[in-house]
Structure formats: structure tokens, C-alpha cells
Amino acid sequence: MNNLFNNKDINLSLIGIPILLSISICLYVFSDVTQSIKVLKSIYENAALQLENVFEIGGFLIFVFLVLISLMPTASKKINIADRPKFNNIAWCGMMFAAGMGASILFLSPLEWAHTYNASPFLLESSDPLLSKYSQSYPLFHWGFIGWAIFALPAAAFAFGLLNKSDMPLTISALLIKESTPIKKIIKVLIDMTCILAILAGAGVGMGVAFPMIAELLSYLFGFSNNYLFELFILLICLSIFSTSVYLGLSQGIKRLSNINIFLVSALLLTVFIVGPTAFIIKNALSSSAFMITQFIEMSFQSTSKFAQSWTVFYWAWWMALAPFIGTFLIQISNGKTIRQLILGTIFIGSFASFMHFYVLGGLTSFFFEEGIMDVPSLVKNNPNEVIILQMLKELPLSSILIGMYALIAIIFVCTTYDSCSYVLASIATNKSSKQPPKVLRLIFAGILVIQPGIIMFLEGIDSIKYILVISSIPLLFVFIVLILNMIVNVYRNQIS
């Protein structure tokens, strides 16, 4: 431990900041859970929604900008980071998706269409056929190309930056600010604090979504009482798994866990596809994809719609807040890949993998609704998602096996997200990209990531963390603008050279 704190390659302030932010978040929520939610919601609505056009236009332009950048000759250059392993395409895709989505994809993909249906986009009546089309297509839009492009932006910026300086620290502040004047040091700390705050909030939200679902499924399967102590027990199991994974590193730990996850997810989706309403799933997938593509431009620019303000702006804020974490992790696992592979792989493979969950699991619940087996839109009004997911799985053949698989995959998704998170935080605190973050440092951050969400879960203050997450996207809007300008400069320099 003394060696860690005496190590000149470690930025001690970036160890202290997460600890202080975790304590501050817990104390704030603990002071008054209900009031903290109201205050944070008000801040988000008064600030983020005032910038709704910036979020919508910005998201669309990031997608277009990255696709165009990927077609330039400079994008064919390979990413070279010393002391980082190279991964084959399957392992890379698995780690990218597991870190980017986590258990939230299992929590939301079966029922997102029903929540959208109840929100009545553009005030459509339930008798209007367009309501069904929009409710099936909007989840694909919100979890697709623009969102994954937002994730890819910081990674692409790092990739072009490494072409000019191969040993730069893998932090957004170091990428944007080269000089070390007192004012610029303060700005760097503020950027780092915002990014770390978003990572911590993202960790809290991930746990708040995943653990009630895992506990609901396992308590049914094994006949245990579903309570906070049971969730805490699951939390400790996950801590032991992802601490071991992050300690072993990218190749020995994170890659192996992600590979297991991808195999199990593929098996789950294939099983549901086969034993479920196969023809309906195919038909629904094709029609919702076609409608989303034909309405893509319209969906991208709907700032006058209250639905878009409540949903699209929130989603783009969500993706933007998580982008520093995902982007930093993506560059860590992309050694040996071309910049073009990094950009297009993240956007299109990430989107397709997300779509598969909505096609199969969302298609299944849509079928149950149309056949009168489950009134899903009514159920989501009065029941938490995890209760309905359990009911959905119980309607299928091999239900006990599928419930067990669903819970196991959710646990592994949580672990792959958190080992990636711990690794990124440890990397941010390391001053050189050529240095692997120390193992002790990875374990310290693994502990930090569990303690704060565990306390918040006990206080039932997850909604507070959701708003902290999206609020952190507001300053990141301006950071992303500078990030794009920085990319343009680096691309120009490399084109000239």
C-alpha cells in the first residue's frame, strides 16, 4: 500500500476524488431521500430540458461526424498502446457490449415498448395503429446508433490523440488540456470530477436496476425471502467475482468473464426465440426496424414533442454521462484495432446486439399482449419491472431453467460492468497509458463502487442517483464540443503528416 502512495505514476488526487464524491452522495441522499429526489429532478428539468435542442441535434451530429471520420484515410491507422493486450474480434465485441449495456438491457428490453406505449408518443390514441409502431420502434432508436456513437466519441478522440502522443494519460482532461498553468489545473480537476461523478452514479444506477431483478428471480427459484439482506448477499457475491476479475486484468479476468457472458446471453436469446413465438418475433423485428429506419430523421429532431423531451433528451443525457467511462474502457481494449474498426464496430455491432434483446424479449411480451396472455401496458403501470419479467419467464416452457439463466446472466452482466468500471477508474488515476494500473488500486476502486450503491440501495434512493447521472451530462455537453474540435485538429495533423 505504501508503494502505491509513493508511486510517481499514480495521481493521488484521482484516488481521493471518488472517495470524497461517494461519501458526499451518500450523505446528501441520507439527509432526506424524498427531498433529494425532488431537488435533483428539478435541476435536471430546468437545466437539461432547456438544452433539449442541443442534446437532440448534438446526438445526431455525433453519429454523422463519427461515420464520416471513420471513412477518412487516417482512420485506417492502428491504435498502439504499450502494455495492453490485443483481443480478437469476438472477445472485443463481448467486452464492449458487456461494459456498455450491463444488466440494464435485461431489465428494460422486455418492457420498454410497454412504457413507451403508455407514454403515448405524440398523444396518439390506443386505437391508432401508429401507437404500436412507435412503441416498438422507439426503444430501438433510443438504444441504437446515436447512443452507441456517443459512447464511441471519447474512444475515437483518445485514438487520434494517441497517434500524436503515445504515452498520454487516458483521461479526457489530459486529452483536452496539455499545459499545466494553475487555472488549467483547476479546469482539469473539474473535468475529472464530472467524469468520475458520472461513473459513480452509473455504478449506483446499474446496481439499483440489477439487484432487485436478480433477487426477485433467485428468491422465486430457491424459495428465499426477497429483502435487503438477500440483495446484500448477492452484492457480496458479485463483489467477490468482479474483484477477482479486475485483479486478474484485461486478458485473464475481464475477457474471460465477458466471453462467458456472451455465450450465456446468446443461449438465452436463442432458447426464447425457439420455444417462444418465433414467427411473431421475426415479423415484429422486421417491421419495427423498418419503421425506425424510415422515421430515423424525424425521431432525431422532435424537440417540440413532450414525449421527446421526456424520453429522447433523457436517453441522450444518460448515454453522454456514461460515455467517459465506456469510451475510456473501449480504448483500453482496442490495442491493435484500426480507428475505423473501433468507431464502426462500436456503433453498429453495439446497436445490433442491443436490438437482438429488444427483438426477442420485447417481441415475446408484445406477443403475450396481443394474444391476451399478459396485459403488459397495464402491468407496468402498477408493478416493478422485475415482477413482470418473472411472470414473463413463467409463461414459457423450461421456465425454471430460463429463470436461472436470466438471473445468472444478470449477475455476470453486473460483474463485467463493474470490473470494467474499476479498471477504468484505476486507469484514470494512472499518469501514463503505457502503465497497467496497479492491482491494489483496482481493488480499492472495486470496493468504492460497491459501498456507495449498497448504502443508496438500503436508503431506497436510487432515483436520486439517476438524476445525478443525467445532471452530470450537462457540463459534459460542452466537454464533448471541445472533444470534437480536438479530434478535428488531430485528424488534420495526421492527414498533413
Side-chain angles (χ1 to χ4, degrees):
M1 186 67 74
N2 287 332
N3 290 337
L4 175 67
F5 291 109
N6 292 326
N7 190 336
K8 292 182 180 179
D9 291 328
I10 302 300
N11 188 333
L12 294 180
S13 67
L14 294 181
I15 299 176
I17 287 172
I19 294 172
L20 290 173
L21 285 174
S22 286
I23 294 171
S24 300
I25 290 170
C26 291
L27 289 175
Y28 177 68
V29 176
F30 181 74
S31 64
D32 189 333
V33 175
T34 304
Q35 185 61 25
S36 69
I37 293 171
K38 287 181 181 178
V39 171
L40 293 168
K41 182 179 180 181
S42 176
I43 292 172
Y44 167 71
E45 289 177 346
N46 290 321
L49 296 185
Q50 295 298 319
L51 298 167
E52 59 194 9
N53 287 321
V54 180
F55 276 105
E56 287 201 320
I57 296 170
F60 181 80
L61 290 180
I62 286 172
F63 170 60
V64 173
F65 172 73
L66 286 180
V67 171
L68 292 176
I69 283 286
S70 71
L71 300 178
M72 298 186 70
T74 311
S76 63
K77 293 187 176 181
K78 289 190 174 182
I79 299 162
N80 183 24
I81 310 176
D83 200 28
R84 292 296 188 281
K86 295 180 181 180
F87 299 104
N88 61 43
N89 290 333
I90 294 175
W92 183 85
C93 290
M95 288 189 285
M96 177 263 293
F97 186 75
M101 287 292 95
S104 59
I105 193 78
L106 294 177
F107 183 78
L108 293 169
S109 60
L111 304 171
E112 186 83 347
W113 71 266
H115 289 288
T116 308
Y117 184 93
N118 288 338
S120 299
F122 318 118
L123 302 177
L124 294 169
E125 298 290 337
S126 58
S127 58
D128 193 328
L130 279 176
L131 178 59
S132 177
K133 290 183 178 181
Y134 274 113
S135 65
Q136 295 292 337
S137 302
Y138 254 115
L140 303 180
F141 176 70
H142 287 146
W143 290 73
F145 306 126
I146 291 178
W148 282 97
I150 292 171
F151 275 177
L153 180 64
F158 280 126
F160 284 111
L162 286 167
L163 293 179
N164 295 322
K165 187 180 179 183
S166 61
D167 203 26
M168 60 173 282
L170 293 177
T171 66
I172 290 177
S173 64
L175 179 64
L176 298 180
I177 301 173
K178 305 295 190 294
E179 299 173 16
S180 295
T181 62
I183 292 178
K184 289 190 174 181
K185 282 183 178 179
I186 293 172
I187 295 172
K188 287 179 76 172
V189 169
L190 290 174
I191 293 173
D192 287 332
M193 284 182 67
T194 303
C195 293
I196 291 170
L197 177 64
I199 291 172
L200 293 175
V205 171
M207 284 196 177
V209 164
F211 282 95
M213 177 177 67
I214 296 169
E216 182 74 23
L217 297 176
L218 291 181
S219 63
Y220 169 80
L221 207 57
F222 297 109
F224 297 141
S225 175
N226 184 3
N227 52 36
Y228 176 73
L229 287 177
F230 186 52
E231 290 183 18
L232 185 61
F233 174 70
I234 297 169
L235 180 69
L236 293 174
I237 291 175
C238 290
L239 173 61
S240 64
I241 295 172
F242 77 76
S243 295
T244 304
S245 175
V246 76
Y247 182 83
L248 292 172
L250 289 173
S251 291
Q252 300 302 313
I254 297 173
K255 183 188 86 170
R256 288 180 178 178
L257 202 56
S258 297
N259 285 346
I260 294 169
N261 191 53
I262 291 303
F263 172 78
L264 290 174
V265 167
S266 301
L268 173 71
L269 295 179
L270 183 61
T271 303
V272 173
F273 178 73
I274 293 171
V275 304
T278 307
F280 180 89
I281 289 173
I282 294 172
K283 180 182 176 182
N284 193 57
L286 292 174
S287 62
S288 59
S289 297
F291 190 79
M292 186 268 290
I293 291 169
T294 57
Q295 300 297 313
F296 188 80
I297 300 296
E298 179 192 359
M299 289 177 168
S300 299
F301 302 99
Q302 283 288 351
S303 59
T304 56
S305 159
K306 293 217 169 178
F307 171 81
Q309 291 169 358
S310 299
W311 284 71
T312 303
V313 173
F314 184 88
Y315 263 112
W316 291 175
W318 184 285
W319 287 87
M320 205 165 287
L322 292 172
F325 152 51
I326 303 300
T328 305
F329 180 71
L330 285 173
I331 195 65
Q332 302 271 359
I333 62 172
S334 297
N335 193 28
K337 297 276 186 290
T338 66
I339 300 175
R340 182 175 296 121
Q341 287 174 319
L342 168 63
I343 294 173
L344 297 181
T346 300
I347 294 173
F348 293 104
I349 295 174
S351 296
F352 177 74
S354 299
F355 293 165
M356 290 304 297
H357 288 74
F358 287 95
Y359 291 156
V360 176
L361 301 177
L364 176 64
T365 54
S366 297
F367 174 79
F368 287 162
F369 174 56
E370 293 201 8
E371 294 297 312
I373 299 170
M374 291 172 60
D375 187 356
V376 184
S378 295
L379 286 170
V380 298
K381 289 179 181 178
N382 304 306
N383 298 277
N385 275 24
E386 59 267 20
V387 172
I388 308 170
I389 289 169
L390 176 58
Q391 186 175 339
M392 170 193 79
L393 294 171
K394 286 162 67 176
E395 295 290 341
L396 291 170
L398 309 172
S399 60
S400 294
I401 294 172
L402 290 172
I403 291 169
M405 286 180 67
Y406 213 91
L408 178 60
I409 292 165
I411 289 172
I412 298 176
F413 254 134
V414 168
C415 294
T416 52
T417 299
Y418 281 79
D419 60 12
S420 307
C421 238
S422 305
Y423 193 91
V424 165
L425 283 169
S427 298
I428 288 174
T430 306
N431 288 326
K432 294 181 179 179
S433 63
S434 61
K435 300 285 184 181
Q436 287 266 19
K439 293 181 176 180
V440 174
L441 188 58
R442 299 177 213 168
L443 291 177
I444 289 172
F445 282 117
I448 292 171
L449 286 172
V450 164
I451 293 169
Q452 170 244 318
I455 294 171
I456 298 299
M457 280 166 56
F458 176 72
L459 297 172
E460 297 183 350
I462 293 300
D463 284 341
S464 294
I465 307 302
K466 287 181 183 178
Y467 285 112
I468 289 173
L469 177 63
V470 291
I471 287 169
S472 66
S473 71
I474 297 168
L476 287 174
L477 266 175
F478 304 100
V479 171
F480 275 33
I481 292 171
V482 180
L483 208 58
I484 290 171
L485 295 175
N486 178 271
M487 280 182 65
I488 293 171
V489 170
N490 281 327
V491 169
Y492 176 75
R493 285 176 180 170
N494 280 282
Q495 289 286 98
I496 295 298
S497 64

